[in-house]
Amino acid sequence: MLIRRETPADAAAIAAIHRAAFAAHYAEDPAVTEPPEPALVEALRTDESWMPTLSLVALEYDTVIGHLCLTRAGIGPFPVLALGPLGVQPDHQKSGVGSALTHAALGAADALDESVVGLVGDPDYYARFGFVPGARLGIVPDEPDWAAHFQVRALTAYDPAVTGEFRYPGPFYDL
């Protein structure tokens, strides 16, 4: 497996990955005919929060099998990062692809002197990467409904003064 930055030629494969990866999550909701994650990635690419250097794909030979992006978010006046979406082709899930993408993204963010990465996701999954409930560091989501699944990962440049409400990039609120 190889992990690299996404290129424009990867866009269709990335959309297909997120569509397939999240389809089961929405299967019980007849109101959802298409998972919102492919549209979210497309909207993020045109948003000021987009950081092309932190949109990564996992390749098996020449086939894109996973995708993860980090985008610019904020906690008050402090710039931080938001992780997501993370998607892996269903036939490659539980094989380390998502973990490899997450480790690569966190390493790249740390190398860029970013301080904090936040996300809404499964606490059991993300704890293995050092994510903790945001409230533990004084960081809360700006949407109270997200609190149970909101987590943060402090990086090397973390400053304890970075506290307050975490705000995702605009496209996340259009889901």
Side-chain angles (χ1 to χ4, degrees):
M1 176 177 37
L2 171 72
I3 296 178
R4 65 160 168 76
R5 286 174 58 170
E6 82 165 70
T7 67
D10 298 323
I14 290 168
I17 285 167
H18 288 298
R19 194 172 295 112
F22 288 97
H25 180 75
Y26 299 100
E28 300 297 317
D29 187 347
V32 178
T33 58
E34 168 88 359
E37 286 78 8
L40 172 61
V41 173
E42 191 62 35
L44 286 168
R45 283 190 188 106
T46 62
D47 191 75
E48 65 186 357
S49 65
W50 186 246
M51 301 180 75
T53 56
L54 295 175
S55 182
L56 306 176
V57 293
L59 298 162
E60 183 177 71
Y61 305 104
D62 291 332
T63 303
V64 177
I65 59 170
H67 174 257
L68 175 150
C69 62
L70 297 171
T71 50
R72 178 62 65 208
I75 300 171
F78 303 106
V80 296
L81 295 174
L83 186 152
L86 163 61
V88 175
Q89 279 289 1
D91 61 342
H92 285 84
Q93 291 175 359
K94 301 188 186 310
S95 68
V97 175
S99 291
L101 282 164
T102 303
H103 283 299
L106 292 173
D110 197 53
L112 293 170
D113 287 327
E114 296 292 340
S115 63
V116 173
V117 177
L119 63 84
V120 174
D122 179 356
D124 292 333
Y125 180 79
Y126 287 102
R128 71 182 86 180
F129 307 108
F131 282 87
V132 298
R136 213 181 274 178
L137 297 182
I139 302 169
V140 296
D142 62 350
E143 295 285 337
D145 292 347
W146 296 346
H149 292 95
F150 179 72
Q151 303 156 73
V152 297
R153 169 69 152 73
L155 301 174
T156 304
Y158 171 68
D159 178 348
V162 178
T163 61
E165 277 192 348
F166 181 94
R167 175 117 181 112
Y168 269 100
F172 280 88
Y173 299 93
D174 298 331
L175 290 177

